Amino acid sequence: DGELVLMHDMTVSRTTNGNGPVTDHTLAELRTLDAGSWFSDDFAGERIVTLDELIVDFSPRRPLVLEIEDTQATAPLVVRIATAGIGDRVQVTSFDWSALLAAAALDPGLTYGFLSPVFDRDIIRRCVRRGFAQICPKVDTLTDDLVAEAHDAGLVVRAYGIANRKQIDRLFATGADGATVNWPDWIPDWSDEPGR
């Protein structure tokens, strides 16, 4: 029904007690689903959050990183960011190259980052050529040389795919600027270690 919601997957099947594609449900239907029990009983009854709720609750306090999962959401997302007046506090990312290009055509002033399972010179050049501010490679693909090359090209390097603390060591050892991480409390632990 045109509402924008926050959902990691294209379906509700893995992370809720519902089934099927997100787009097969109205917002009212999505709101009836339990989106917390799959993770832990402590989160039973949690509901799917809308983009508007995220903006109201968090954008005044934190910068946002919004990933486009479904290309149908591209134009509405860009419009909503503009309407909320938070373009200077948002980074838009996607694994879908065409979604980022479409978003950049609508608002070239936003910060864009390509989520790439491959990190090489070609991807760096493509991101620079399209005017993206970031490249977001999988953490296991980071190397000192590629991070330095991306930095020399003017890109911020923000990795994804961190599943253990050794990958955080790799993140910082290679000089990357940051990461999307499921356990943000690990980052202060890393920086508090002696000699770090």
Side-chain angles (χ1 to χ4, degrees), residues 50-75:
T50 67
L51 177 63
D52 287 339
E53 290 168 337
L54 177 80
I55 289 171
V56 168
D57 291 345
F58 291 98
S59 69
R61 298 180 288 142
R62 298 274 185 249
L64 303 177
V65 178
L66 301 174
E67 179 185 341
I68 301 170
E69 289 275 347
D70 185 337
T71 56
Q72 295 178 66
T74 303

PDB file of all heavy atoms in Angstrom, residues 50-75:
ATOM      1  N   THR A  50       8.092   1.585  10.776  1.00  0.00           N
ATOM      2  CA  THR A  50       8.008   2.322   9.508  1.00  0.00           C
ATOM      3  C   THR A  50       9.194   3.270   9.397  1.00  0.00           C
ATOM      4  O   THR A  50       9.821   3.638  10.399  1.00  0.00           O
ATOM      5  CB  THR A  50       6.713   3.142   9.419  1.00  0.00           C
ATOM      6  OG1 THR A  50       6.761   4.196  10.391  1.00  0.00           O
ATOM      7  CG2 THR A  50       5.485   2.286   9.600  1.00  0.00           C
ATOM      8  N   LEU A  51       9.478   3.684   8.180  1.00  0.00           N
ATOM      9  CA  LEU A  51      10.527   4.668   7.960  1.00  0.00           C
ATOM     10  C   LEU A  51      10.201   5.959   8.696  1.00  0.00           C
ATOM     11  O   LEU A  51      11.082   6.570   9.313  1.00  0.00           O
ATOM     12  CB  LEU A  51      10.712   4.941   6.464  1.00  0.00           C
ATOM     13  CG  LEU A  51      11.740   6.025   6.133  1.00  0.00           C
ATOM     14  CD1 LEU A  51      13.134   5.622   6.586  1.00  0.00           C
ATOM     15  CD2 LEU A  51      11.721   6.342   4.651  1.00  0.00           C
ATOM     16  N   ASP A  52       8.947   6.382   8.662  1.00  0.00           N
ATOM     17  CA  ASP A  52       8.564   7.616   9.356  1.00  0.00           C
ATOM     18  C   ASP A  52       8.851   7.528  10.851  1.00  0.00           C
ATOM     19  O   ASP A  52       9.312   8.485  11.463  1.00  0.00           O
ATOM     20  CB  ASP A  52       7.087   7.932   9.121  1.00  0.00           C
ATOM     21  CG  ASP A  52       6.822   8.430   7.710  1.00  0.00           C
ATOM     22  OD1 ASP A  52       7.776   8.898   7.054  1.00  0.00           O
ATOM     23  OD2 ASP A  52       5.664   8.352   7.272  1.00  0.00           O
ATOM     24  N   GLU A  53       8.587   6.374  11.456  1.00  0.00           N
ATOM     25  CA  GLU A  53       8.884   6.205  12.885  1.00  0.00           C
ATOM     26  C   GLU A  53      10.380   6.298  13.151  1.00  0.00           C
ATOM     27  O   GLU A  53      10.806   6.927  14.128  1.00  0.00           O
ATOM     28  CB  GLU A  53       8.328   4.867  13.382  1.00  0.00           C
ATOM     29  CG  GLU A  53       6.818   4.838  13.451  1.00  0.00           C
ATOM     30  CD  GLU A  53       6.253   3.448  13.653  1.00  0.00           C
ATOM     31  OE1 GLU A  53       6.920   2.435  13.322  1.00  0.00           O
ATOM     32  OE2 GLU A  53       5.113   3.372  14.141  1.00  0.00           O
ATOM     33  N   LEU A  54      11.163   5.676  12.301  1.00  0.00           N
ATOM     34  CA  LEU A  54      12.610   5.760  12.451  1.00  0.00           C
ATOM     35  C   LEU A  54      13.076   7.211  12.370  1.00  0.00           C
ATOM     36  O   LEU A  54      13.872   7.665  13.194  1.00  0.00           O
ATOM     37  CB  LEU A  54      13.315   4.929  11.380  1.00  0.00           C
ATOM     38  CG  LEU A  54      14.834   5.015  11.426  1.00  0.00           C
ATOM     39  CD1 LEU A  54      15.399   4.104  12.507  1.00  0.00           C
ATOM     40  CD2 LEU A  54      15.434   4.683  10.077  1.00  0.00           C
ATOM     41  N   ILE A  55      12.568   7.930  11.379  1.00  0.00           N
ATOM     42  CA  ILE A  55      12.970   9.325  11.198  1.00  0.00           C
ATOM     43  C   ILE A  55      12.616  10.149  12.429  1.00  0.00           C
ATOM     44  O   ILE A  55      13.450  10.900  12.954  1.00  0.00           O
ATOM     45  CB  ILE A  55      12.337   9.904   9.916  1.00  0.00           C
ATOM     46  CG1 ILE A  55      12.996   9.279   8.683  1.00  0.00           C
ATOM     47  CG2 ILE A  55      12.451  11.427   9.893  1.00  0.00           C
ATOM     48  CD1 ILE A  55      12.314   9.611   7.372  1.00  0.00           C
ATOM     49  N   VAL A  56      11.400  10.013  12.915  1.00  0.00           N
ATOM     50  CA  VAL A  56      10.957  10.792  14.080  1.00  0.00           C
ATOM     51  C   VAL A  56      11.762  10.429  15.318  1.00  0.00           C
ATOM     52  O   VAL A  56      12.222  11.303  16.061  1.00  0.00           O
ATOM     53  CB  VAL A  56       9.445  10.583  14.330  1.00  0.00           C
ATOM     54  CG1 VAL A  56       9.036  11.136  15.688  1.00  0.00           C
ATOM     55  CG2 VAL A  56       8.636  11.239  13.228  1.00  0.00           C
ATOM     56  N   ASP A  57      11.955   9.141  15.557  1.00  0.00           N
ATOM     57  CA  ASP A  57      12.588   8.693  16.792  1.00  0.00           C
ATOM     58  C   ASP A  57      14.110   8.829  16.801  1.00  0.00           C
ATOM     59  O   ASP A  57      14.695   9.052  17.857  1.00  0.00           O
ATOM     60  CB  ASP A  57      12.229   7.233  17.083  1.00  0.00           C
ATOM     61  CG  ASP A  57      10.767   7.048  17.455  1.00  0.00           C
ATOM     62  OD1 ASP A  57      10.090   8.054  17.763  1.00  0.00           O
ATOM     63  OD2 ASP A  57      10.300   5.891  17.436  1.00  0.00           O
ATOM     64  N   PHE A  58      14.752   8.690  15.650  1.00  0.00           N
ATOM     65  CA  PHE A  58      16.211   8.599  15.665  1.00  0.00           C
ATOM     66  C   PHE A  58      16.952   9.685  14.894  1.00  0.00           C
ATOM     67  O   PHE A  58      18.070  10.033  15.255  1.00  0.00           O
ATOM     68  CB  PHE A  58      16.655   7.221  15.161  1.00  0.00           C
ATOM     69  CG  PHE A  58      16.320   6.126  16.104  1.00  0.00           C
ATOM     70  CD1 PHE A  58      15.192   5.353  15.907  1.00  0.00           C
ATOM     71  CD2 PHE A  58      17.102   5.885  17.219  1.00  0.00           C
ATOM     72  CE1 PHE A  58      14.853   4.347  16.788  1.00  0.00           C
ATOM     73  CE2 PHE A  58      16.773   4.873  18.116  1.00  0.00           C
ATOM     74  CZ  PHE A  58      15.645   4.101  17.896  1.00  0.00           C
ATOM     75  N   SER A  59      16.376  10.225  13.821  1.00  0.00           N
ATOM     76  CA  SER A  59      17.157  11.171  13.013  1.00  0.00           C
ATOM     77  C   SER A  59      17.568  12.433  13.770  1.00  0.00           C
ATOM     78  O   SER A  59      18.617  12.991  13.452  1.00  0.00           O
ATOM     79  CB  SER A  59      16.433  11.523  11.711  1.00  0.00           C
ATOM     80  OG  SER A  59      15.286  12.293  11.963  1.00  0.00           O
ATOM     81  N   PRO A  60      16.811  12.903  14.778  1.00  0.00           N
ATOM     82  CA  PRO A  60      17.321  14.056  15.514  1.00  0.00           C
ATOM     83  C   PRO A  60      18.572  13.733  16.339  1.00  0.00           C
ATOM     84  O   PRO A  60      19.349  14.624  16.671  1.00  0.00           O
ATOM     85  CB  PRO A  60      16.161  14.431  16.443  1.00  0.00           C
ATOM     86  CG  PRO A  60      14.950  13.840  15.824  1.00  0.00           C
ATOM     87  CD  PRO A  60      15.429  12.574  15.173  1.00  0.00           C
ATOM     88  N   ARG A  61      18.771  12.444  16.659  1.00  0.00           N
ATOM     89  CA  ARG A  61      19.874  12.061  17.539  1.00  0.00           C
ATOM     90  C   ARG A  61      21.018  11.357  16.848  1.00  0.00           C
ATOM     91  O   ARG A  61      22.152  11.390  17.323  1.00  0.00           O
ATOM     92  CB  ARG A  61      19.353  11.134  18.647  1.00  0.00           C
ATOM     93  CG  ARG A  61      18.324  11.789  19.534  1.00  0.00           C
ATOM     94  CD  ARG A  61      17.831  10.851  20.609  1.00  0.00           C
ATOM     95  NE  ARG A  61      16.980   9.801  20.055  1.00  0.00           N
ATOM     96  CZ  ARG A  61      16.975   8.547  20.469  1.00  0.00           C
ATOM     97  NH1 ARG A  61      17.779   8.156  21.419  1.00  0.00           N
ATOM     98  NH2 ARG A  61      16.155   7.666  19.936  1.00  0.00           N
ATOM     99  N   ARG A  62      20.740  10.676  15.743  1.00  0.00           N
ATOM    100  CA  ARG A  62      21.747   9.845  15.087  1.00  0.00           C
ATOM    101  C   ARG A  62      21.670   9.994  13.578  1.00  0.00           C
ATOM    102  O   ARG A  62      20.581  10.047  13.018  1.00  0.00           O
ATOM    103  CB  ARG A  62      21.500   8.362  15.395  1.00  0.00           C
ATOM    104  CG  ARG A  62      21.599   7.992  16.849  1.00  0.00           C
ATOM    105  CD  ARG A  62      23.046   7.700  17.193  1.00  0.00           C
ATOM    106  NE  ARG A  62      23.142   7.220  18.554  1.00  0.00           N
ATOM    107  CZ  ARG A  62      23.694   7.914  19.529  1.00  0.00           C
ATOM    108  NH1 ARG A  62      24.161   9.107  19.300  1.00  0.00           N
ATOM    109  NH2 ARG A  62      23.775   7.409  20.737  1.00  0.00           N
ATOM    110  N   PRO A  63      22.812   9.972  12.912  1.00  0.00           N
ATOM    111  CA  PRO A  63      22.766   9.859  11.448  1.00  0.00           C
ATOM    112  C   PRO A  63      22.189   8.492  11.083  1.00  0.00           C
ATOM    113  O   PRO A  63      22.315   7.532  11.854  1.00  0.00           O
ATOM    114  CB  PRO A  63      24.237   9.945  11.033  1.00  0.00           C
ATOM    115  CG  PRO A  63      24.964  10.468  12.217  1.00  0.00           C
ATOM    116  CD  PRO A  63      24.167  10.104  13.432  1.00  0.00           C
ATOM    117  N   LEU A  64      21.552   8.404   9.941  1.00  0.00           N
ATOM    118  CA  LEU A  64      20.915   7.161   9.513  1.00  0.00           C
ATOM    119  C   LEU A  64      21.616   6.587   8.287  1.00  0.00           C
ATOM    120  O   LEU A  64      22.034   7.331   7.405  1.00  0.00           O
ATOM    121  CB  LEU A  64      19.447   7.411   9.163  1.00  0.00           C
ATOM    122  CG  LEU A  64      18.561   8.017  10.238  1.00  0.00           C
ATOM    123  CD1 LEU A  64      17.157   8.256   9.691  1.00  0.00           C
ATOM    124  CD2 LEU A  64      18.513   7.128  11.473  1.00  0.00           C
ATOM    125  N   VAL A  65      21.716   5.280   8.247  1.00  0.00           N
ATOM    126  CA  VAL A  65      22.158   4.562   7.054  1.00  0.00           C
ATOM    127  C   VAL A  65      20.962   3.745   6.600  1.00  0.00           C
ATOM    128  O   VAL A  65      20.502   2.852   7.315  1.00  0.00           O
ATOM    129  CB  VAL A  65      23.363   3.639   7.336  1.00  0.00           C
ATOM    130  CG1 VAL A  65      23.752   2.884   6.066  1.00  0.00           C
ATOM    131  CG2 VAL A  65      24.539   4.429   7.878  1.00  0.00           C
ATOM    132  N   LEU A  66      20.425   4.071   5.431  1.00  0.00           N
ATOM    133  CA  LEU A  66      19.237   3.402   4.908  1.00  0.00           C
ATOM    134  C   LEU A  66      19.620   2.601   3.669  1.00  0.00           C
ATOM    135  O   LEU A  66      20.104   3.160   2.692  1.00  0.00           O
ATOM    136  CB  LEU A  66      18.157   4.431   4.571  1.00  0.00           C
ATOM    137  CG  LEU A  66      17.699   5.302   5.746  1.00  0.00           C
ATOM    138  CD1 LEU A  66      16.744   6.376   5.270  1.00  0.00           C
ATOM    139  CD2 LEU A  66      17.053   4.438   6.823  1.00  0.00           C
ATOM    140  N   GLU A  67      19.389   1.302   3.735  1.00  0.00           N
ATOM    141  CA  GLU A  67      19.712   0.429   2.616  1.00  0.00           C
ATOM    142  C   GLU A  67      18.460   0.165   1.796  1.00  0.00           C
ATOM    143  O   GLU A  67      17.424  -0.220   2.346  1.00  0.00           O
ATOM    144  CB  GLU A  67      20.287  -0.889   3.123  1.00  0.00           C
ATOM    145  CG  GLU A  67      20.612  -1.858   2.001  1.00  0.00           C
ATOM    146  CD  GLU A  67      21.062  -3.216   2.494  1.00  0.00           C
ATOM    147  OE1 GLU A  67      21.474  -3.332   3.664  1.00  0.00           O
ATOM    148  OE2 GLU A  67      20.982  -4.171   1.695  1.00  0.00           O
ATOM    149  N   ILE A  68      18.563   0.346   0.508  1.00  0.00           N
ATOM    150  CA  ILE A  68      17.458   0.024  -0.393  1.00  0.00           C
ATOM    151  C   ILE A  68      17.524  -1.466  -0.695  1.00  0.00           C
ATOM    152  O   ILE A  68      18.445  -1.940  -1.342  1.00  0.00           O
ATOM    153  CB  ILE A  68      17.537   0.831  -1.709  1.00  0.00           C
ATOM    154  CG1 ILE A  68      17.509   2.330  -1.435  1.00  0.00           C
ATOM    155  CG2 ILE A  68      16.410   0.418  -2.646  1.00  0.00           C
ATOM    156  CD1 ILE A  68      17.816   3.184  -2.656  1.00  0.00           C
ATOM    157  N   GLU A  69      16.533  -2.210  -0.197  1.00  0.00           N
ATOM    158  CA  GLU A  69      16.441  -3.651  -0.460  1.00  0.00           C
ATOM    159  C   GLU A  69      15.561  -3.910  -1.681  1.00  0.00           C
ATOM    160  O   GLU A  69      15.840  -4.795  -2.465  1.00  0.00           O
ATOM    161  CB  GLU A  69      15.836  -4.370   0.749  1.00  0.00           C
ATOM    162  CG  GLU A  69      16.739  -4.435   1.960  1.00  0.00           C
ATOM    163  CD  GLU A  69      17.712  -5.600   1.921  1.00  0.00           C
ATOM    164  OE1 GLU A  69      17.542  -6.500   1.081  1.00  0.00           O
ATOM    165  OE2 GLU A  69      18.649  -5.588   2.723  1.00  0.00           O
ATOM    166  N   ASP A  70      14.489  -3.142  -1.798  1.00  0.00           N
ATOM    167  CA  ASP A  70      13.503  -3.333  -2.859  1.00  0.00           C
ATOM    168  C   ASP A  70      13.529  -2.088  -3.747  1.00  0.00           C
ATOM    169  O   ASP A  70      13.277  -0.986  -3.276  1.00  0.00           O
ATOM    170  CB  ASP A  70      12.123  -3.521  -2.232  1.00  0.00           C
ATOM    171  CG  ASP A  70      11.039  -3.836  -3.241  1.00  0.00           C
ATOM    172  OD1 ASP A  70      11.204  -3.494  -4.436  1.00  0.00           O
ATOM    173  OD2 ASP A  70      10.020  -4.417  -2.838  1.00  0.00           O
ATOM    174  N   THR A  71      13.815  -2.265  -5.025  1.00  0.00           N
ATOM    175  CA  THR A  71      13.947  -1.111  -5.917  1.00  0.00           C
ATOM    176  C   THR A  71      12.659  -0.287  -6.006  1.00  0.00           C
ATOM    177  O   THR A  71      12.711   0.893  -6.313  1.00  0.00           O
ATOM    178  CB  THR A  71      14.371  -1.548  -7.329  1.00  0.00           C
ATOM    179  OG1 THR A  71      13.432  -2.497  -7.836  1.00  0.00           O
ATOM    180  CG2 THR A  71      15.758  -2.162  -7.304  1.00  0.00           C
ATOM    181  N   GLN A  72      11.500  -0.908  -5.698  1.00  0.00           N
ATOM    182  CA  GLN A  72      10.245  -0.153  -5.701  1.00  0.00           C
ATOM    183  C   GLN A  72      10.258   0.956  -4.647  1.00  0.00           C
ATOM    184  O   GLN A  72       9.499   1.917  -4.748  1.00  0.00           O
ATOM    185  CB  GLN A  72       9.057  -1.072  -5.389  1.00  0.00           C
ATOM    186  CG  GLN A  72       8.783  -2.131  -6.432  1.00  0.00           C
ATOM    187  CD  GLN A  72       7.619  -2.996  -5.994  1.00  0.00           C
ATOM    188  OE1 GLN A  72       6.500  -2.525  -5.895  1.00  0.00           O
ATOM    189  NE2 GLN A  72       7.890  -4.268  -5.729  1.00  0.00           N
ATOM    190  N   ALA A  73      11.089   0.806  -3.646  1.00  0.00           N
ATOM    191  CA  ALA A  73      11.150   1.782  -2.557  1.00  0.00           C
ATOM    192  C   ALA A  73      12.065   2.961  -2.871  1.00  0.00           C
ATOM    193  O   ALA A  73      12.093   3.939  -2.124  1.00  0.00           O
ATOM    194  CB  ALA A  73      11.623   1.104  -1.274  1.00  0.00           C
ATOM    195  N   THR A  74      12.789   2.916  -3.978  1.00  0.00           N
ATOM    196  CA  THR A  74      13.815   3.921  -4.257  1.00  0.00           C
ATOM    197  C   THR A  74      13.248   5.334  -4.307  1.00  0.00           C
ATOM    198  O   THR A  74      13.664   6.206  -3.534  1.00  0.00           O
ATOM    199  CB  THR A  74      14.551   3.594  -5.574  1.00  0.00           C
ATOM    200  OG1 THR A  74      15.108   2.283  -5.478  1.00  0.00           O
ATOM    201  CG2 THR A  74      15.652   4.604  -5.844  1.00  0.00           C
ATOM    202  N   ALA A  75      12.326   5.594  -5.206  1.00  0.00           N
ATOM    203  CA  ALA A  75      11.782   6.953  -5.339  1.00  0.00           C
ATOM    204  C   ALA A  75      11.054   7.405  -4.077  1.00  0.00           C
ATOM    205  O   ALA A  75      11.290   8.525  -3.604  1.00  0.00           O
ATOM    206  CB  ALA A  75      10.878   7.048  -6.567  1.00  0.00           C
TER     207      ALA A  75
END
